Amino acid sequence: MNFQQLRSVRETVRCGFNLTDVAQVLHTSQPGVSRQIRELEDELGIELFVRAGKRLTGMTEPGSHVLPIIERILQDSQNLRRAGQEFVAQKSGQLSIAATHSQARYALPQAVQEFRQKFPNVRLHLHQGSPRQVAEMLITGEADVGIATEALDDYDALLALPTYRWTHAVIVPPGHALLDQPLTLARLAQYPLITYDTGFTGRTHIDQAFAQHGLQADIVLSAMDADVIKTYVGLGLGVGIVASIAYEHERDTGLRAIDAGALFGINLTKLAVRRGAYLRGYVYAFIESFSPTLARSVVERALNDETPGAQYDI
């Protein structure tokens, strides 16, 4: 039994049983992948995959039981490698952070700047995507830390910890009629709206608020990025709804913000890591830079809590 055999099984499942794709991922040949899988099956005495001729179509029942063990062995081998690197280079290496556009643009810069001052020899890689893409990057090991408001606590493989609470703001040009009277959902529903895509930056709370009051929101444009939303508000295409941290008084001089926390409620941004992953010391340092309440002892205690779906609060 060897790691290449185990990787061949894992990547076969990840690639939807397409051995051509597996071969590309592992930088080998398709016959080589088939041979590695068959040799492991022979050694274990079981068939891991259902076959239709030469094609693999799914996992057998024994294969489904073995797969989590294979995943765990490969993750432990990666952890062992990282543990050795930890002692060889205490303050150098690589840190990969996955975040949504709003988090990367507005919430991360201060923490990244502070981290770079403390760990100048650590290379930072910042990946952006939807909350579910952030979760997938954590699960596959592409990212060490993930930050988003939605989705992260939907995965048992991840430990999602609360960082900060925030509300939405309504963005309009100066002199807009919504600035003259108290803001209500009924008044807001009278205007074309520009806000986040479904699944991004508290959009769920926005949709729920209108639905609970029996109102139809006229969302004429949606985007992942608050800067895009503000641009089109400035062009007069509609009224914007963005995260309050996305409105910068000094920079957004052509816009005005109205607090909408009473309308759409409070959102909670989460920071997540993969359960079972080995976190180097500087990863803990970054986490604490981003959220001072998440000291290393707090994160380690939460990682040792094996309760699936456990909820944590700040």
Side-chain angles (χ1 to χ4, degrees), residues 86-212:
E86 174 84 23
F87 291 97
V88 172
Q90 294 285 344
K91 293 189 175 183
S92 65
Q94 177 177 301
L95 172 61
S96 293
I97 305 165
T100 58
H101 294 268
S102 293
Q103 300 298 333
R105 168 66 178 82
Y106 298 105
L108 273 173
Q110 183 176 345
V112 168
Q113 184 179 39
E114 179 180 324
F115 179 82
R116 285 289 299 156
Q117 291 172 348
K118 292 181 179 178
F119 299 92
N121 294 322
V122 175
R123 299 184 304 279
L124 282 171
H125 290 262
L126 181 57
H127 308 273
Q128 295 183 57
S130 70
R132 299 210 172 273
Q133 288 172 330
V134 170
E136 291 299 328
M137 283 187 270
L138 286 170
I139 291 171
T140 60
E142 185 177 354
D144 302 301
V145 176
I147 300 170
T149 298
E150 289 87 2
L152 295 185
D153 49 7
D154 294 342
Y155 297 82
D156 289 341
L158 301 180
L159 168 68
L161 297 168
T163 58
Y164 69 94
R165 296 182 173 92
W166 57 271
T167 59
H168 286 97
V170 169
I171 305 296
V172 295
H176 195 279
L178 286 175
L179 295 167
D180 298 334
Q181 300 177 27
L183 184 66
T184 65
L185 283 172
R187 292 188 69 208
L188 201 53
Q190 297 173 10
Y191 295 91
L193 302 177
I194 305 172
T195 191
Y196 298 104
D197 286 338
T198 301
F200 280 81
T201 321
R203 170 66 186 272
T204 300
H205 283 183
I206 295 171
D207 293 341
Q208 287 175 345
F210 282 108
Q212 288 170 359

Side-chain angles (χ1 to χ4, degrees), residues 6-40:
L6 302 181
R7 292 189 191 98
S8 295
V9 173
R10 181 184 66 182
E11 296 304 328
T12 297
V13 177
R14 289 182 176 180
C15 293
F17 310 103
N18 186 321
L19 295 187
T20 300
D21 291 345
V22 177
Q24 291 178 345
V25 171
L26 297 179
H27 306 290
T28 186
S29 65
Q30 184 175 333
V33 173
S34 298
R35 185 180 66 256
Q36 295 287 352
I37 292 173
R38 182 58 75 184
E39 288 176 354
L40 181 60

